[in-house]
Amino acid sequence: MPPLPTRPLIGISLKTYLDLPTTLSYTHGLLSLDPLAFNARTDLFLIPDHLTLHPCASILAPSHILLGAQDTHWEDHGPYTGCISPLVLSQLGVRIVEIGHAERRTQFGETDEIVSKKAAAVVRNGMVPLVCVGERRKESAASAAVGRAVEECKPQVMSVLKAIPEDAQVVFAYEPVWAIGADKPADKDHVVMVAREIKRMAVEGGRKGRVRVLYGGAAGPGTWEGVKEGVDGLFLGRFAHDIKNLKKVLEEVGGS
């Protein structure tokens, strides 16, 4: 598949908040947005649940909106009941695959090793891994927060970089676990400094492929202006399930 564009990247994960008809309605609604908001100045991707990937792929086919998936197995074929083949995702037209979300790590026991194997499978099938990384708890002292976050993110980042080819694209979604579902995002200076450190890890690791960092965790209107010097886009959750809210974010990012 061709490389992702280099404009700011905005993504929405629907998780399993929406049912089938609501997901399809939402996906159709994305097509009603001003195309200049995400064609000329930003790029947009949607990650629905697995059961709606096929119809969403058909709906989005005429547009420039990229299709993403919420998870994958690390093998293309095999006796993996209930799992998702990365080969099939690629055949469906998926461009981005989210892996390593904090919920997968805590609820299903996923480790850095598992996430790195999934990243390799995603790349092997011509897609881009969207790897979620972040520290679990918030430090009370701001002076210690960045160091703690970088320390915790480093093995999450480096295990993936070691598992994929040097020229492969990869997107890291920096999501402090304590900020997911919170009332407000992490402090903007904190986000910028941690994101820059993630990029530095990639450079020092000899990466030749494009590495981008998105911020997620209570992101919404007003977030971009504070973090745009460190990140390459935003990864949105429930807030963006209202298309009116998503439009506000696209306008902010597209107008910067």
Side-chain angles (χ1 to χ4, degrees), residues 68-236:
Q70 291 185 20
D71 190 34
T72 185
H73 197 270
W74 56 83
E75 295 290 350
D76 297 352
H77 307 282
Y80 307 111
T81 303
C83 295
I84 306 297
S85 163
L87 172 61
V88 174
L89 292 179
S90 178
Q91 292 170 337
L92 274 173
V94 169
R95 294 286 307 280
I96 299 173
V97 182
E98 177 187 7
I99 53 178
H101 191 278
E103 294 158 357
R104 297 293 309 181
R105 294 177 187 265
T106 58
Q107 297 176 21
F108 298 95
E110 292 197 359
T111 62
D112 292 342
E113 180 183 4
I114 290 174
V115 175
S116 63
K117 288 167 65 175
K118 290 184 175 184
V122 171
V123 172
R124 183 176 69 243
N125 283 281
M127 301 174 289
V128 177
L130 170 67
V131 186
C132 299
V133 300
E135 72 276 19
R136 285 166 292 187
R137 70 174 189 271
K138 184 178 182 180
E139 290 285 347
S140 56
S143 59
V146 172
R148 174 63 181 174
V150 172
E151 178 185 3
E152 197 164 338
C153 288
K154 187 172 183 177
Q156 301 171 30
V157 172
M158 297 308 296
S159 61
V160 168
L161 294 180
K162 291 176 181 177
I164 62 177
E166 289 184 351
D167 59 351
Q169 294 186 89
V170 60
V171 179
F172 289 103
Y174 172 54
E175 297 187 301
V177 178
W178 51 267
I180 297 173
D183 294 333
K184 59 182 181 179
D187 178 77
K188 62 182 186 299
D189 292 333
H190 176 90
V191 172
V192 168
M193 287 188 283
V194 175
R196 286 175 175 171
E197 285 298 307
I198 292 173
K199 292 182 180 181
R200 184 182 61 78
M201 293 176 203
V203 171
E204 292 183 353
R207 300 302 303 171
K208 298 177 182 177
R210 182 166 174 78
V211 176
R212 283 191 279 182
V213 179
L214 311 183
Y215 172 71
T223 303
W224 175 249
E225 184 63 29
V227 303
K228 65 182 181 181
E229 297 304 319
V231 304
D232 304 293
L234 299 173
F235 191 32
L236 308 173

Side-chain angles (χ1 to χ4, degrees), residues 33-66:
L33 292 168
D34 177 5
L36 292 178
F38 55 83
N39 284 353
R41 294 167 289 178
T42 63
D43 289 291
L44 182 65
F45 66 88
L46 173 67
I47 304 183
D49 70 276
H50 282 119
L51 289 175
T52 54
L53 275 172
H54 193 274
C56 287
S58 298
I59 295 169
L60 297 178
S63 75
H64 289 83
I65 302 173
L66 306 172

